[in-house]
Amino acid sequence: MKIDKVETFLVRWGDVVRPAEAASGTATAVVAVHADGLVGLGEASPMQGGVASLFVIARDMAPALIGADALDHAVILDRLLHKLIKLGPDGIVTGAYAALDIALWDLKGKAFGQPIHKLLGGAWRTRIPFYASIGGNAARDVDGVVKTVEARLRAEQPSAIKIRWDGTRSEIDRDIKGDIAKARAVRKLVGDDFPLAFDANNRYSVGAAIRVGRALEELGYVWFEEPVEYYHQKAMGEVAQRLDITVSAGEQSYTLQSVAALIDSGVRMVQPDIVKMGGVTGLMQCVALCHAHGVEFVPHQTQPAIGNAANLHVLSTVMHASKPAELADGWARSADTFVNAPRPDGGCMVVPEGPGLGLVVDEAMLARRRVDVTG
């Protein structure tokens, strides 16, 4: 399967019309790899719109891909990663690598007429429970948080809910009492037995994180996500070891070694993201790493179509999946373009069964929403 073309572009959502606006986070960063008349789609990390990763693909990676055999997948990508390793293994390059990996898996599945989960060894389940991931709660008062959670609960009927803070990272410990009050109000809303999680988005010191964590334990929350800055791995591990509630981290990890360092620090639930952590291949490596260390594997996932479908294919193959899959805000924004993108269905999402990712694309709508930014 000779690769003959590599395209990079944004798929804009809503009424965005200018590339600069699309790059601000209202778009999906896409790579399309063409070989033997087939097209594989991948998605880069959305940080700053994913534009930097698309530039790396277009300028530094695509020339080496042209003429290569798409089935030499691992060799191709490892060569590209190490060619660009001095740009840093975390971030832009790894986001680009993840996008290409997903695209090559999609291409491979289409070539063999099989969904990705079949190529990975088969699915334990194709209906996967999901949790509603609800962001922006730092800016809301208690009533606003309750109303927002209630609306998602009613509309989606999730198996669990996570409330995210998403506040500025230039401030820590800003409103500990208020944060606990919001957590308490959400618990009152959903009842004692409904599974809840709390994502601090790195907004506490160690002492404050322990104080909030103790409150969450009393309220029966299931996990406490990224309580301190992710780059303070020793501090993250300290919080994890001093609390009974499960402390999780890893959405900002871009390499297997970074995930391993979190585990070594004492974190017992890791959350790598498929569009950052090496794509399908990287996430499967994390599955093995977590299994070897007895650590829970619960991937972070906020993308509406390509990333979500790829993540579900991987999750379906995990025997000891312990938590629901993430379904973030704005999940429906891709429905007119990726017409069968996974969506809520009785507390679950269904893994697409078509070849590769299994996504069906409305080509006319894709053309309308496409924004070329890399030249």
Side-chain angles (χ1 to χ4, degrees), residues 32-99:
V33 179
H34 299 249
D36 290 0
L38 300 173
V39 182
L41 296 177
E43 180 172 0
S45 169
M47 299 301 98
Q48 304 305 311
V51 174
S53 289
L54 295 186
F55 269 108
V56 166
I57 293 172
R59 191 189 71 175
D60 299 312
M61 293 181 166
L65 289 166
I66 302 302
D69 188 336
L71 298 182
D72 288 338
H73 181 158
V75 173
I76 293 169
L77 292 187
D78 282 345
R79 281 177 176 162
L80 286 175
L81 178 64
H82 288 91
K83 174 185 176 184
L84 301 170
I85 200 72
K86 289 192 176 181
L87 288 178
D90 291 274
I92 293 168
V93 171
T94 325
Y97 183 100

Side-chain angles (χ1 to χ4, degrees), residues 187-254:
R187 170 52 75 200
K188 182 178 180 181
L189 170 70
V190 301
D192 292 340
D193 297 327
F194 192 86
L196 290 174
F198 183 109
D199 186 349
N201 296 115
N202 315 106
R203 296 180 67 246
Y204 298 128
S205 63
V206 169
I210 292 170
R211 178 181 168 188
V212 173
R214 295 289 185 220
L216 296 176
E217 289 171 353
E218 292 179 6
L219 291 168
Y221 275 64
V222 178
W223 79 84
F224 186 15
E225 190 167 327
E226 289 201 327
V228 300
E229 283 287 5
Y230 79 97
Y231 47 73
H232 291 312
Q233 292 182 334
K234 184 177 179 180
M236 194 77 76
E238 180 182 353
V239 175
Q241 292 300 296
R242 291 178 65 181
L243 290 173
D244 293 328
I245 188 173
T246 296
V247 170
S248 67
E251 72 175 76
Q252 298 173 85
S253 297
Y254 284 80

Side-chain angles (χ1 to χ4, degrees), residues 290-319:
C290 290
H291 185 57
H293 288 86
V295 171
E296 291 184 271
F297 170 78
V298 186
H300 176 266
Q301 211 312 109
T302 60
Q303 303 316 294
I306 298 172
N308 190 23
N311 184 60
L312 291 175
H313 278 283
V314 171
L315 275 176
S316 73
T317 73
V318 179
M319 180 172 58

